[in-house]
Amino acid sequence: MPIVRALYPGSFDPVTLGHLDLIQRASRLFDQVLVAVLRNPGKTPAFSLQQRQQQLGLATADLTNVSVKSFDGLTANFARQQGCTVILRGLRALSDFEFELQLAHTNSSLCDTVETLFLATAARHSFLSSSVVKEVARFGGDVSHMVPAAVAEDLNRHFNSG
Ligand code: ADP
C-alpha cells in the first residue's frame, strides 16, 4: 500500500480550534499530514509567516504524523514537490462550496495526480474563521474557546499591547 501524504494548505492567520479539529481528524485518516502556511501576497496578515508556522507547530506538537511548513506560489506545485497526493480543504457552510470547488478544479487542471478532498468541519466550530477571531480579539472579547491558549495570548499581545 502506498503511503498517503495529505497537504492541508491555508493562511492560518491565526490557526483556530476549527483548523485544529480538522488536522486531528486528518491525522487519523492519512499516513502523513503536511500543514502548509501560504504566503499570500494578496492579503496583509496579522501574524508573520514564521509566527503562524510556530503557532501551528506548537498546537500540533502531539501529533506525530503532522508536520508544518510554509510556502509561496501554486498549491498544486507545492503538493507535487512535497510528494502529497491529496489536498485537503475544510467546508464550513454552503457559502464555502462555490469557491472551494473552483479552487479544486483549478488545481486538478494544473496537476492531475493530486486529488482535492473536503472534510466537513465540526458543527461546533463551523462559525469559526480566523477573521472572526481577529475581530473579537481586536475589541477585547474572549477568544479562549476559539483558538489554542498560546494563540489567544499572541492575539492579546497583537491587538492590546502598547
Ligand atoms: P484560506 O485563506 O486558504 O481560506 P484559511 O486559513 O482561512 O485559509 O483556511 C484554511 C482551510 O481551513 C480552508 O480549507 C478552510 O475551509 C478551512 N477552515 C477554515 N475555518 C475552519 C473551521 N472553523 N473548521 C475547519 N476548517 C476550517
Side-chain angles (χ1 to χ4, degrees):
M1 287 279 277
I3 284 187
V4 182
R5 194 166 147 81
L7 179 74
Y8 180 38
S11 310
F12 305 108
D13 184 41
V15 59
T16 69
L17 294 183
H19 294 131
L20 263 189
D21 171 76
L22 201 117
I23 295 169
Q24 277 154 1
R25 286 155 58 208
S27 76
R28 296 195 289 269
L29 289 171
F30 302 102
D31 298 299
Q32 295 172 358
V33 177
L34 173 58
V35 183
V37 189
L38 171 67
R39 181 198 299 277
N40 185 344
K43 288 186 185 176
T44 309
F47 297 105
S48 72
L49 207 60
Q50 289 81 355
Q51 276 176 308
R52 285 178 275 155
Q53 197 176 333
Q54 198 177 30
Q55 290 164 342
L56 273 160
L58 199 66
T60 60
D62 58 328
L63 301 170
T64 52
N65 62 341
V66 174
S67 52
V68 183
K69 288 191 175 174
S70 58
F71 76 109
D72 50 22
L74 292 172
T75 304
N77 285 352
F78 186 67
R80 199 172 15 204
Q81 252 174 38
Q82 297 292 319
C84 295
T85 48
V86 169
I87 293 175
L88 195 62
R89 296 285 291 175
L91 287 179
R92 280 166 295 194
L94 196 59
S95 50
D96 282 341
F97 182 75
E98 207 168 302
F99 174 70
E100 291 295 339
L101 188 65
Q102 190 182 23
L103 208 58
H105 286 152
T106 307
N107 285 330
S108 77
S109 78
L110 293 169
C111 176
D112 60 7
T113 55
V114 181
E115 290 290 346
T116 298
L117 295 181
F118 299 107
L119 276 182
T121 67
R124 67 184 183 289
H125 292 136
S126 61
F127 69 99
L128 272 183
S129 69
S130 299
S131 335
V132 160
V133 165
K134 282 181 282 190
E135 214 47 30
V136 173
R138 183 189 304 276
F139 296 108
D142 177 19
V143 291
S144 60
H145 57 303
M146 301 180 182
V147 293
V151 173
E153 281 172 29
D154 290 346
L155 280 163
N156 189 31
R157 212 170 301 121
H158 180 80
F159 287 113
N160 305 310
S161 66

